[in-house]
Amino acid sequence: MILTVTPNPAVDHTIHFDEPLQPGVVHRTDDAVFTAGGKGINVAKYVSALDADATASGFLGGHFGKFVRDRLDADGIASDFVTVDADTRLNTTVLAEDGEYKLNHNGPQIRAADVDELVETAQANEPDTLLVGGSLPPGMSLADVDRLARAGDWQIAVDMGGEYLAELDADYYVCKPNRSELATATGRTVETEADAIAAAEELHARGFEYVLASLGADGALLVTDSEVLSAPALDVEVVDTVGAGDAVMSGFLAAREHGLSDADALRMGVLTASRVVGVAGTRVPHLEDVLTNETHVEVTTVRSR
Ligand SMILES: O=P(O)(O)OC[C@@]1(O)O[C@H](CO)[C@@H](O)[C@@H]1O
């Protein structure tokens, strides 16, 4: 079972305008979607849709916390959250004619006792894989993530920003940086595929057994102990890119739960992302045929290591 820990969940509010945003103008629309979000929660949703066993955990509080909990219950996603005495945040994505704007709140204050309870919750669930996804709310530190990594007999995956990846200390099973996170985590310039491979290999050498790099329109890379694999992005219509990185991680983790190979895990990550970008916000698209591998994704071995 995969336990996803989202320290900083969110209600994701995705709102669409057919015009560019302008200061001082009241923009109005009928097109708004509210979903339960936060990177780990998205992974739990997508992994469950990929027929793997997942439970969502993390901190929830207040009205938005109740919304997230109710929405997951309604969607049949198993969850085991720590209730906190502070309000879960609301994150807004504005899709306007002039671009995609992402407005994220830093989140509620978490206490040391909340973190203790989270560690106990993780231990009680006895997952095979524990994923920590997204930003850390005020009051929670990277030392707490390393503590979660070491608190049980699980492999630990992280879907966190580059500034976090640079500082984590424990040994990790897999991380999933995007291009800018690769750059931040390593201090390198990451423009070409060769740059991305060099940065991902550096993270691998620092203690991440698998480095799954999502490169947007340039596809994804997987660095393992023995090889570097590459898969192109699919040519699909993009509504927005929110949740795309979470989808790459979800495809990878679900494939591993199903006992599939490294190449198939990369393939499933890319396929899942290609579906998630086609729906607004962090809604779950139809993923049934991702499992049957009907859409061909060419995975190539860039080199053996
Ligand atoms: O502020 P964080 O924790 O880095 O990111 C949170 C978030 O933007 O990431 C998800 C998409 O990846 C959304 O569901 C959510 O709103």
Side-chain angles (χ1 to χ4, degrees), residues 160 162 165 176-183 190 212-216 245:
M160 303 182 77
L165 297 182
K176 193 231 51 71
N178 59 25
R179 194 185 295 274
S180 72
E181 288 164 343
L182 279 174
V190 180
L212 178 60
S214 57
L215 304 176

Side-chain angles (χ1 to χ4, degrees), residues 12 37-39 42 89 91 102 104 134-135 242-243 246 282:
D12 279 326
K39 297 192 194 312
N42 296 336
R89 61 189 173 149
N91 288 345
K102 192 86 180 75
N104 283 17
S135 59
V242 184
D246 312 339
T282 52

